[in-house]
Amino acid sequence: MNLDEARLLANVNDRAQRLFEDGYRIRSLDGNLHLIRSEQGATYTLDRSEQSCTCPFFEKNSGRYCCKHVLGWRKLLMAQRIEIARRTARWEAVGQAVTIEQVMQSASRVLQQRLEVPLCL
């Protein structure tokens, strides 16, 4: 391996670690097949059992080098799952806050009607 190849592989490995941050998303088709979509809309099929990908880099270098998708799919999948969990937790928290606010407003209305005095909460 020469210096240019080493630089190329270092670059591919670095990009594999940043797939999620770079806007890539992954969707499982079955146990081994996944679709990886870039932020620009390019979609590639990753076959985990074959360690292959349909991206141009892999097709050009098949057999010699892995692409960033083959190297980084696990980290991409985990980052995506963590983001979904964060969003879900955030929505649940917002939903609870709205519910508490609604309860307080309802209680305030009931008290105002009983006391016939405006209350400030």
Side-chain angles (χ1 to χ4, degrees), residues 27-35 44-46:
R27 185 171 64 117
S28 296
L29 299 176
D30 68 19
N32 290 315
L33 291 178
H34 301 279
L35 289 180
Y44 309 112
T45 303
L46 170 74

Side-chain angles (χ1 to χ4, degrees), residues 53-73:
C53 183
T54 59
C55 74
F57 181 90
F58 188 88
E59 290 178 355
K60 177 183 174 187
N61 296 294
S62 184
R64 288 184 67 196
Y65 310 121
C66 286
C67 65
K68 63 184 177 184
H69 311 110
V70 171
L71 294 173
W73 72 268

Side-chain angles (χ1 to χ4, degrees), residues 4-32:
D4 288 335
E5 289 175 320
R7 285 183 181 146
L8 174 71
L9 294 180
N11 183 41
V12 169
N13 189 47
D14 180 55
R15 292 173 67 196
Q17 301 306 311
R18 294 183 287 120
L19 288 175
F20 185 77
E21 293 82 3
D22 289 345
Y24 284 82
R25 297 297 178 260
I26 188 168
R27 185 171 64 117
S28 296
L29 299 176
D30 68 19
N32 290 315

Side-chain angles (χ1 to χ4, degrees), residues 22-24 37-42:
D22 289 345
Y24 284 82
R37 183 180 176 102
S38 73
E39 195 170 39
Q40 294 78 25

